[in-house]
């Protein structure tokens, strides 16, 4: 056996050299090189360095027709390019609600240049590309991710999709079916968060701007036709309300494509002065929107989901253009929260206030999460909570107490670090950078870079958090409630709790339970 081992070692030494023969890395027959020292005989590496132009990395050009072109170069084979339009459900005050929802579903259908959606997808496939359209309350975004060498085709396709859609009757009918299905799905899905978000906006901004429905109401499905869509497009799809944003391409190249395909292009609805443009400013009203609903059988699979009642309570925050936007973002991160089933760890927000004060103390609560929605003229900070219908009153009181105690600054540094970490992690992704560039340039005409935002986050003090909390508590609450609401306190009681020192609901006495 010993002879066999020696023969094997000799074979390895001849076949693969001394490194394969050596039994341990500390063997004396081979030089030990520290991992922190450069390898001998290897040329010295030359690393890329920041040349001081980092602050100019997002370049912006405004074309003669008012359209802005914004880009940021990012090394890689692929780019993300898209057109963002200052158009969404908040602009539908003079129209039946649901137009933006229809346009989102109609995006990348047949155009003047392409006979069908399949033709568009085949064209993109040649450049390894995908396309998507998303409509929010204030912005509609048409985006394409593809190889950099296909930029000319991509911008040509985007221009065609946005300015030259055919809007055929059969496409509108298919969209109507798709929207109807989405509305049914919205009411059936176990996660009620999209429905509650819709309800809280309707309660907070009753009948105006961001309070208008983001999803097409069922009664408007038959009202939306080609003429109505064309009238809306003529008002809102104009160059001065658009930004062509790109990430991963040279700015000059993007500007050249914009001049070629977006300058002097006459849209299918014809050139003319926009009419019926809604310029109204968001008016925060506060209020309550309630939907009684049987939530006892929402499970889609064999595992049953317990019957829950969902409550969302919100207060007015601020616009993303205000200085207080950053302290509000830190406050939202400090509140944090999540579901009781979340696999934990510090990075998952287990040290945020809604985990420590609510989910860890009250085992019967299934969810407590903070959300911050911010727009160009107002905002809304809200807490979503869910529990068994019999414990709704207690749950509401726990949430109102958390609102009152927000001004006590706990874990401020952790919240600031977590917010900066989340910001930087998200901005590693090319599509996220694209959306950030596009939205900032559309709203402000410029872009704050990540390191500037990190400096603003670092400069938030305990006094800032207390100030924005007291500002927020002066507004009337907005309340959204979904499920079995037999134990829900009255709106006046919730308002009284948020005006009190301890956040407790007024006591109620019943002769019969």
């Amino acid at each position: 056996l010993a002879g066999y081992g020696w023969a094997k070692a000799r074979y390895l030494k001849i076949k693969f050299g001394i490194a394969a023969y050596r039994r341990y890395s500390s063997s004396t027959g081979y030089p030990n090189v520290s991992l922190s020292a450069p390898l001998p005989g290897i040329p010295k590496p030359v690393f890329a360095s920041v040349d001081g132009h980092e602050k100019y990395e997002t370049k912006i050009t405004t074309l003669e027709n008012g359209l802005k072109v914004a880009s940021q170069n990012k090394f890689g084979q692929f780019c993300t390019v898209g057109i963002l339009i200052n158009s969404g459900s908040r602009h539908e005050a003079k129209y039946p609600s649901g137009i933006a929802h229809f346009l989102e579903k109609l995006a990348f259908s047949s155009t003047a240049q392409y006979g069908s959606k399949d033709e568009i997808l085949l064209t993109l496939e040649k450049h390894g590309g995908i396309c998507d359209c998303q409509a929010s309350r204030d912005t509609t975004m048409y985006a394409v991710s593809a190889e950099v060498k296909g930029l000319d085709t991509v911008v040509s396709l985007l221009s065609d999709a946005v300015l030259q859609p055919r809007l055929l009757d059969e496409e509108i009918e298919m969209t109507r079916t798709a929207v109807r299905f989405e509305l049914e799905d919205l009411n059936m899905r176990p996660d009620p968060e999209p429905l509650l978000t819709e309800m809280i906006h309707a309660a907070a901004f009753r009948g105006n701007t961001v309070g208008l429905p983001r999803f097409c109401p069922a009664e408007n499905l038959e009202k939306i036709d080609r003429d109505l869509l064309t009238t809306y497009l003529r008002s809102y799809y104009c160059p001065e309300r658009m930004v062509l944003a790109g990430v991963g391409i040279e700015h000059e190249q993007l500007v050249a494509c914009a001049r070629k395909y977006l300058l002097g292009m006459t849209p299918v609805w014809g050139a003319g002065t926009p009419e019926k443009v809604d310029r109204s400013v968001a008016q925060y009203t506060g209020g309550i929107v309630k939907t009684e609903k049987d939530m006892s059988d929402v499970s889609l699979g064999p595992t049953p989901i317990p019957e829950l009642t969902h409550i969302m309570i919100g207060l007015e925050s601020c616009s993303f253009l205000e200085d207080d936007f950053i302290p509000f973002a830190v406050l939202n991160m400090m509140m944090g929260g999540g579901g009781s089933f979340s696999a934990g760890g510090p990075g998952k927000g287990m040290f945020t206030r809604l985990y420590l004060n609510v989910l860890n103390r009250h085992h019967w609560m299934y969810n407590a999460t903070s959300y911050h929605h911010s727009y160009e003229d107002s905002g809304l900070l809200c807490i979503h909570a869910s529990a068994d219908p019999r414990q709704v009153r207690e749950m509401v009181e726990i949430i109102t107490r958390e609102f009152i105690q927000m001004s006590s600054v706990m874990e401020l540094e952790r919240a600031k670090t977590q917010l900066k970490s989340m910001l930087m992690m998200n901005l590693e992704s090319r599509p996220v950078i694209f959306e950030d560039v596009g939205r900032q340039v559309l709203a402000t005409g410029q872009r704050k870079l990540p390191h500037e935002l990190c400096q603003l986050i670092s400069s938030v003090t305990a006094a800032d958090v207390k100030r924005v909390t007291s500002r927020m508590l002066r507004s009337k609450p907005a309340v959204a409630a979904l499920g079995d609401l037999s134990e829900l306190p009255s709106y006046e009681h919730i308002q009284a709790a948020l005006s009190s020192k301890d956040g407790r609901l007024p006591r109620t006495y019943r002769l019969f339970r």
Side-chain angles (χ1 to χ4, degrees):
L1 281 171
Y4 167 74
W6 178 83
K8 184 181 177 188
R10 188 166 180 273
Y11 167 74
L12 287 170
K13 188 175 180 180
I14 295 164
K15 178 85 174 168
F16 301 108
I18 197 165
Y21 156 72
R22 203 174 77 246
R23 286 192 183 181
Y24 301 103
S25 58
S26 58
S27 107
T28 51
Y30 197 71
N32 262 338
V33 179
S34 165
L35 291 175
S36 58
L39 289 168
I42 303 293
K44 190 179 177 183
V46 179
F47 297 106
S49 60
V50 177
D51 59 1
H53 290 289
E54 190 193 2
K55 59 182 177 179
Y56 301 115
E57 63 180 352
T58 304
K59 296 180 179 177
I60 303 163
T61 302
T62 305
L63 302 186
E64 290 80 351
N65 61 357
L67 181 132
K68 292 185 180 70
V69 182
S71 76
Q72 180 175 320
N73 212 341
K74 183 177 169 67
F75 300 108
Q77 191 182 346
F78 282 79
C79 64
T80 300
V81 182
I83 295 176
L84 291 94
I85 305 152
N86 187 7
S87 154
S89 59
R90 70 167 293 161
H91 300 107
E92 294 171 356
K94 298 172 184 175
Y95 299 87
S97 288
I99 292 176
H101 192 187
F102 258 70
L103 289 171
E104 178 188 42
K105 295 281 173 275
L106 276 166
F108 297 105
S109 295
S110 65
T111 67
Q113 196 178 329
Y114 300 92
S116 66
K117 188 165 196 161
D118 290 342
E119 226 176 287
I120 288 176
L121 295 176
L122 281 168
T123 305
L124 285 174
E125 267 181 34
K126 291 173 189 171
H127 300 286
I130 53 169
C131 61
D132 185 31
C133 177
Q134 292 177 9
S136 64
R137 294 180 191 280
D138 53 0
T139 312
T140 302
M141 182 171 68
Y142 294 76
V144 172
S145 283
E147 282 184 314
V148 177
K149 60 187 179 186
L151 180 66
D152 194 82
T153 308
V154 165
V155 178
S156 165
L157 191 150
L158 281 165
S159 169
D160 227 41
V162 174
L163 301 173
Q164 304 281 326
R166 285 186 183 168
L167 304 176
L168 302 173
D169 289 341
E170 56 265 34
E171 288 173 346
I172 293 171
E173 197 50 53
M174 280 177 67
T175 300
R176 199 169 277 129
T177 307
V179 170
R180 191 177 283 117
F181 175 81
E182 194 173 337
L183 293 176
E184 287 173 14
D185 176 61
L186 199 66
N187 287 304
M188 287 168 62
R189 63 169 65 180
D191 174 26
E193 201 266 321
L195 203 57
L196 280 166
T197 303
E198 190 79 351
M199 290 164 68
I200 197 82
H201 278 83
F205 303 93
R206 193 173 292 275
N208 75 89
T209 58
V210 291
L212 297 173
R214 191 174 89 74
F215 300 104
C216 179
E219 62 271 17
N220 287 354
L221 281 168
E222 300 302 326
K223 294 178 187 174
I224 297 171
D225 57 14
R226 191 179 192 280
D227 292 341
L228 190 64
L229 291 170
T230 307
T231 309
Y232 179 87
L233 290 166
R234 190 178 293 116
S235 299
Y236 290 100
Y237 278 42
C238 43
E240 58 272 21
R241 298 179 71 90
M242 293 182 186
V243 169
L244 174 68
V247 174
I249 30 81
E250 294 287 344
H251 186 69
E252 291 70 26
Q253 209 180 341
L254 187 63
V255 171
C257 288
R259 288 188 181 281
K260 186 175 174 184
Y261 296 111
L262 290 160
L263 191 63
M265 171 72 74
T266 306
V268 72
W269 46 86
T273 311
E275 299 168 13
K276 288 189 176 180
V277 176
D278 183 50
R279 302 189 192 282
S280 50
V281 175
Q283 301 297 316
Y284 182 87
T285 59
I288 186 165
V289 172
K290 299 189 283 187
T291 304
E292 282 272 0
K293 188 179 175 187
D294 179 15
M295 305 286 280
S296 59
D297 190 24
V298 293
S299 176
L300 298 176
T303 311
I305 294 174
E307 183 183 356
L308 300 174
T309 293
H310 301 271
I311 307 291
M312 205 179 254
I313 300 175
L315 294 166
E316 186 181 17
S317 61
C318 73
S319 148
F320 56 64
L321 300 173
E322 293 179 49
D323 292 339
D324 279 347
F325 173 65
I326 300 291
F328 267 117
V330 171
L331 178 63
N332 178 52
M333 189 57 69
M334 200 188 298
M335 297 309 293
S340 58
F341 303 117
S342 173
K348 292 294 291 290
M350 289 307 222
F351 290 92
T352 58
R353 207 175 292 180
L354 290 178
Y355 261 111
L356 293 174
N357 296 357
V358 178
L359 293 170
N360 290 356
R361 292 186 187 179
H362 307 284
H363 64 90
W364 46 268
M365 280 189 71
Y366 281 78
N367 185 25
T369 314
S370 175
Y371 295 96
H372 187 215
H373 306 279
S374 199
Y375 305 96
E376 63 183 354
D377 43 15
S378 190
L380 186 66
L381 191 139
C382 43
I383 295 175
H384 168 208
S386 51
D388 185 282
R390 291 164 295 183
Q391 291 171 301
V392 168
R393 185 180 173 83
E394 197 178 343
M395 172 175 71
V396 169
E397 186 168 89
I398 287 165
I399 298 307
T400 54
R401 273 168 31 202
E402 283 307 309
F403 269 113
I404 295 295
Q405 289 163 15
M406 271 186 188
S407 56
S408 63
V409 181
M410 179 182 74
E411 300 285 359
L412 175 63
E413 288 307 314
R414 187 194 292 274
K416 283 157 65 172
T417 306
Q418 197 175 341
L419 182 59
K420 285 186 279 188
S421 163
M422 198 172 85
L423 175 75
M424 300 310 283
M425 284 290 285
N426 285 339
L427 289 171
E428 290 286 312
S429 161
R430 192 182 61 250
V432 175
I433 300 171
F434 157 75
E435 193 172 338
D436 182 50
V437 170
R439 283 182 180 275
Q440 285 203 50
V441 172
L442 190 65
T444 64
Q446 57 187 21
R447 184 189 179 219
K448 277 194 176 116
L449 294 174
H451 66 85
E452 294 176 74
L453 291 169
C454 286
Q455 285 167 6
L456 290 169
I457 293 165
S458 299
S459 63
V460 172
T461 62
D464 292 329
V465 174
K466 285 180 181 175
R467 187 187 72 253
V468 297
T469 303
S470 59
R471 165 187 169 169
M472 185 173 65
L473 287 167
R474 287 196 292 269
S475 63
K476 283 175 67 179
V479 181
L482 179 69
D484 177 351
L485 308 179
S486 52
E487 293 294 315
L488 179 71
S490 69
Y491 178 76
E492 289 71 27
H493 280 192
I494 295 171
Q495 194 171 357
L498 288 167
S499 305
S500 67
K501 285 184 180 178
D502 57 3
R504 291 186 182 277
L505 290 163
R507 298 298 99 189
T508 55
Y509 301 97
R510 298 183 191 174
L511 288 172
F512 306 103
R513 283 199 176 271

